[in-house]
């Protein structure tokens, strides 16, 4: 709580307070000072909204190789096997660590974990707390941070990374901290650190329809790119097949577990349609389900599809999906007696800031963990419930590496200049920001969505170039506001997605390009961008 002074320092600066950032913070807490910053309230992030659960080899009939195999199949040839193996091998212990902190996952008789099955998983392996798993994990992690005296300051928007290159210090370019805008006060603080961790989550807000909370505006990827770190595979954006379709329901997700437990997708005429698109029907991986819904809606001109759970007993729905049941009810839909109207929405960023098996980016002293990172676990498509797992495993691995790095880096912290607002004027024309924000998200939805074409990608690129130039001009003329910072990041991330998508001349995993509808193994490699590649 509280505000930041104009200059602050921490051994470990953690940008983001979701599962990845808090796991990192807890692991390093005994080894140096830790400062966690969050953009809005401290619990606000995707972690808090995760419903389905966290995947791990925890059932008697399950084996590590099976989870590895399912992950590799979903990733469509682009997963890094070592990242997959490490995550899946270390996952169960990390889930038990969460239990030891106080996460009460649902259990069956005999105190065995109740495991659900989700699309793409060959076994039941998703541990969960009813349908509010993320909220419980976030609550417990925050409590654990409080108990250890870890400082978390909310309402702090990291604007840019502080690099030695930027401030004119010699030697290889390295990260020295971040400039941070205080939401309430409107001032930019200079925060120096020995290790900086991006744990800023994803970028769903780059699309008009998304399941993500407002904080998911791609700051981490944009800041890392601008600072000179490599970013990869941004074309692989996962669309969740089933967001509640209701004018007042903002980004409410109807969990995959609903299909796992028998939910049937129907079109507006009441016909089940998944069998026409994939033999696995409702249990096909989510990209196939999302594309099928999109195709079915476009074929019939429907506004939405319907998820039918009415054949399941009401008691079962209340027991397993109390949150979804209650939320639908608030919007006048009783899922026990009527199908839930749903549409696909941008959900998960599979690419991100390139990291190694210990969370290190290509820029010295900068780590990235959680959704912001591209570890190689997801490849071209994420298997459901592998992302909380990734945040947990890589949060800890990065922490171990950072502790070692800190031990070798105890020298004095270089002096860096404060943020210079120059002659920046008080912001006017809020309409410019609002308009450009809307335009970016709309054009990404229309041109760079579930199904893409070369022509639409080119159009998106042209439009984004103009918007980015306008935003840049505005950015240097006016004093910073959180909306302006986020708009700049959104536009940069949008361009990174478009550029990656333009480069990949095939369809693979989540990237579906009508001009090249098949996978082509000449493109069986990551799409990597570094500073300068967008200009
Ligand atoms: C509705 C929904 C349901 C999901 N369900 C599941 C599921 O069942 N299982 C699963 O495995 N995954 C699920 N996911 C995905 C998963 O929740 C996320 O991938 C994961 O929680 C990301 O964790 P994180 O720690 O990387 O980031 P987040 O939890 O998103 O946290 C990001 C943090 O970064 C902060 N931040 C962002 N930008 C800045 C900035 N510029 N300055 C300072 N702070 C900043 C935010 O304030 C926040 O604290 C779901 C996602 C959503 C949206």
């Amino acid at each position: 709580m509280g505000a930041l002074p104009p200059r602050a320092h921490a051994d470990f600066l953690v940008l983001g307070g979701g599962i990845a950032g808090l796991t990192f913070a807890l692991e390093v807490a005994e080894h140096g000072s830790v400062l966690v910053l969050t953009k809005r309230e401290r619990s606000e992030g995707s972690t808090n909204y995760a419903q389905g659960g966290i995947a791990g080899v925890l059932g008697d009939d399950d084996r590590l190789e099976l989870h590895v195999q399912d992950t590799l199949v979903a990733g469509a040839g682009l997963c890094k096997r070592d990242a997959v193996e490490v995550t899946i091998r270390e996952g169960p212990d990390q889930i038990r660590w969460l239990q030891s902190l106080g996460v009460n996952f649902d259990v069956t008789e005999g105190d065995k974990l109740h495991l659900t099955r989700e699309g793409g998983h060959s076994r039941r392996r998703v541990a969960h707390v009813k349908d509010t798993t993320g909220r419980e994990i976030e609550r417990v992690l925050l409590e654990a941070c409080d108990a250890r005296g870890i400082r978390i300051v909310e309402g702090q928007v990291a604007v840019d990374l502080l690099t030695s290159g930027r401030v004119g210090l010699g030697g290889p370019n390295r990260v020295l901290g971040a400039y941070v805008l205080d939401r309430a006060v409107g001032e930019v603080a200079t925060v120096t650190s020995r290790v900086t961790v991006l744990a800023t989550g994803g970028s769903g807000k780059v699309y008009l329809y998304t399941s993500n909370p407002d904080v998911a505006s791609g700051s981490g990827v944009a800041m890392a790119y601008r600072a000179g770190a490599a970013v990869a595979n941004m074309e692989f954006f996962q669309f969740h097949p089933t967001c509640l379709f209701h004018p007042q329901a903002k980004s409410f997700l109807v969990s995959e577990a609903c299909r796992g437990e028998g939910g049937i997708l129907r079109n507006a005429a009441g016909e089940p349609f998944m069998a026409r698109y994939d033999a696995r029907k409702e249990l096909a991986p989510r990209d196939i389900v999302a594309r099928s819904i999109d195709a079915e809606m476009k074929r019939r001109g429907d506004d939405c599809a319907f998820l039918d759970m009415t054949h399941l007993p009401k008691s079962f729905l209340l027991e397993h999906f109390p949150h979804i049941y209650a939320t639908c009810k608030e919007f006048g839909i009783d899922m026990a007696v009527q199908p839930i109207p749903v549409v696909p929405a941008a959900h998960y960023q599979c690419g991100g800031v390139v990291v190694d098996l210990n969370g290190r980016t290509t820029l010295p002293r900068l780590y990235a963990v959680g959704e912001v990172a591209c570890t190689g676990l997801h490849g071209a498509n994420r298997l459901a419930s592998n992302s909380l797992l990734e945040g947990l495993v890589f949060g800890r691995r990065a922490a171990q590496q950072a502790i070692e790095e800190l031990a070798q880096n105890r020298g004095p912290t270089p002096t860096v200049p404060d943020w210079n607002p120059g002659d920046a004027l008080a912001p006017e024309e809020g309409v410019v920001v609002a308009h450009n924000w809307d335009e970016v998200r709309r054009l990404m939805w229309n041109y760079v969505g579930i199904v893409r074409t070369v022509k639409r990608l080119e159009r998106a690129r042209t439009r984004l170039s103009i918007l980015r130039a306008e935003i840049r001009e505005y950015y240097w003329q006016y004093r910073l506001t959180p909306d302006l910072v986020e708009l700049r990041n959104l536009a940069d991330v949008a361009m990174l997605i478009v550029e990656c998508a333009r480069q990949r001349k095939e369809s693979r995993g989540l990237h579906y390009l009508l001009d090249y509808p098949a996978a082509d193994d000449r493109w069986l490699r990551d799409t990597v961008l570094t500073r300068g590649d967008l200009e």
Side-chain angles (χ1 to χ4, degrees):
M1 298 287 171
L4 280 181
R7 298 195 132 248
H9 177 79
D11 292 327
F12 301 99
L13 171 62
V14 184
L15 302 175
I19 190 169
L22 296 182
T23 300
F24 181 97
L26 284 165
E27 295 283 345
V28 296
E30 283 177 13
H31 299 267
S33 55
V34 185
L35 177 61
V36 179
L37 302 180
T38 68
K39 194 150 64 171
R40 289 176 184 254
E41 299 76 31
R42 60 190 207 150
S43 63
E44 184 64 4
S46 293
T47 301
N48 209 33
Y49 296 92
Q51 297 174 344
I54 180 162
V57 176
L58 301 157
D60 296 338
D61 65 341
D62 204 358
R63 296 198 313 273
L64 295 177
E65 308 85 79
L66 294 175
H67 192 181
V68 167
Q69 199 48 36
D70 292 344
T71 304
L72 294 175
V73 169
L78 279 184
C79 297
K80 296 215 170 25
R81 198 179 178 108
D82 50 2
V84 175
E85 286 178 354
V86 151
T87 311
I88 285 163
R89 199 172 53 236
E90 296 180 8
D93 275 349
Q94 284 297 102
I95 294 173
R96 285 188 273 274
W97 174 74
L98 282 181
Q99 287 181 291
S100 76
L101 290 180
V103 177
N104 290 317
F105 289 110
D106 287 7
V107 289
T108 54
E109 310 91 60
D111 267 2
K112 282 194 169 173
L113 283 175
H114 178 271
L115 303 172
T116 52
R117 184 168 169 194
E118 294 190 335
H121 286 278
S122 58
R123 292 289 185 277
R124 281 184 169 264
R125 62 167 74 101
V126 181
H128 64 105
V129 185
K130 299 273 185 267
D131 55 355
T132 49
T133 312
R135 195 196 297 168
E136 183 63 6
I137 292 176
E138 182 72 20
R139 183 187 67 75
V140 167
L141 289 175
L142 283 170
E143 273 180 19
C145 286
D146 289 344
R148 284 165 185 68
I150 294 172
R151 184 153 187 237
I152 303 177
V153 188
E154 50 186 21
Q156 305 298 322
V157 186
V159 174
D160 259 324
L161 294 170
L162 245 165
T163 57
S164 56
R166 177 180 178 138
V167 299
L169 292 175
N173 196 23
R174 58 200 182 279
V175 173
L176 305 170
Y179 289 119
V180 179
L181 173 68
D182 186 312
R183 256 199 134 74
V185 186
E187 298 294 336
V188 178
T190 308
V191 186
T192 51
S193 59
R194 294 179 197 281
V195 165
T196 304
V197 187
L198 295 171
T200 47
S203 56
K205 292 305 273 191
V206 85
Y207 285 100
L208 187 59
Y209 298 113
T210 178
S211 66
N212 290 188
D214 286 349
V215 292
S217 59
S219 323
V221 169
M223 287 191 290
Y225 172 79
R226 290 195 296 265
V231 168
N233 292 356
M234 291 296 289
E235 69 274 40
F236 299 117
F237 216 104
Q238 189 166 66
F239 288 78
H240 195 286
T242 52
C243 256
L244 179 60
F245 179 70
H246 187 279
Q248 267 94 51
K250 194 180 165 202
S251 333
F252 184 71
L253 193 93
V254 183
S255 164
E256 298 245 63
C258 289
R259 300 201 312 283
E261 296 298 341
I264 298 166
L265 283 164
R266 299 182 186 278
N267 60 25
E271 300 156 354
F273 58 83
M274 276 308 300
R276 271 192 275 120
Y277 294 93
D278 194 284
R280 289 163 288 185
K281 298 196 271 187
E282 277 76 7
L283 287 181
R286 59 174 58 167
D287 62 310
I288 294 178
V289 178
R291 226 160 35 230
S292 308
I293 296 176
D294 190 60
E296 187 69 9
M297 282 165 53
K298 289 204 167 103
R299 184 180 76 82
R300 294 179 37 88
D302 293 341
D303 288 337
C304 66
F306 293 86
L307 183 64
D308 187 358
M309 312 276 291
T310 56
H311 51 291
L312 297 169
K314 182 171 178 175
S315 55
F316 177 88
L317 298 177
L318 283 170
E319 166 68 17
H320 288 265
F321 306 110
H323 182 51
I324 296 174
Y325 187 92
T327 308
C328 287
K329 204 70 201 288
E330 270 172 39
F331 292 108
I333 302 153
D334 181 347
M335 70 191 272
V337 294
Q338 66 194 112
I340 308 168
V342 290
V343 279
H347 186 55
Y348 187 81
Q349 165 196 300
C350 289
V353 183
V354 176
V355 293
D356 66 11
L357 285 183
N358 296 313
R360 279 180 297 200
T361 70
T362 56
L363 261 187
R365 302 207 199 154
L366 180 67
Y367 290 70
V369 290
E371 191 167 337
V372 66
C374 181
T375 62
L377 171 67
H378 307 303
N381 193 357
R382 173 189 71 133
L383 189 64
S385 290
N386 265 358
S387 39
L388 288 174
L389 183 70
E390 183 189 43
L392 199 55
V393 169
F394 275 82
R396 191 185 63 95
R397 291 183 73 85
Q400 287 170 343
Q401 179 67 43
I403 292 165
E404 268 180 42
E405 184 168 339
L406 184 75
Q408 294 153 16
N409 170 26
R410 288 276 184 195
T413 317
T415 312
V416 297
D418 288 334
W419 178 262
N420 179 6
D423 300 326
L425 309 168
E428 336 174 297
E429 297 204 71
V431 63
V432 175
V433 175
H435 174 86
N436 285 353
W437 177 285
D438 190 58
E439 194 169 341
V440 170
R441 298 182 65 202
R442 218 168 263 284
L443 85 85
M444 288 300 286
W445 184 259
N446 289 330
Y447 293 170
V448 199
I450 299 177
V451 175
R452 300 162 180 174
T453 66
V454 169
K455 208 169 187 169
R456 282 189 231 144
L457 291 176
E458 290 304 331
R459 282 203 182 126
R461 186 167 183 261
T462 309
R463 303 279 264 275
L464 281 170
S465 305
I466 299 168
L467 282 169
R468 285 177 75 230
E470 203 171 301
I471 292 165
R472 212 172 298 136
E473 194 188 312
Y474 196 86
Y475 188 82
W476 294 116
Q477 259 178 359
Y478 294 97
R479 284 174 73 87
L480 288 188
T481 62
D483 282 351
L484 182 54
V485 173
E486 293 194 349
L487 171 64
R488 178 187 182 222
N489 291 334
L490 275 187
D492 284 353
V493 169
M495 196 63 152
L496 286 164
I497 296 174
V498 168
E499 195 51 38
C500 286
R502 280 179 71 245
Q503 290 194 12
R504 187 170 291 284
K505 301 272 189 290
E506 63 161 352
S507 290
R508 180 182 301 278
L510 298 164
H511 175 63
Y512 191 72
L513 196 55
L514 270 181
D515 314 68
Y516 301 91
D520 175 347
D521 281 354
R522 282 176 299 175
W523 298 98
L524 197 54
R525 55 176 187 258
D526 291 340
T527 321
V528 184
L529 300 176
T530 45
R531 190 166 51 199
D533 286 346
L534 295 186
E535 310 316 322

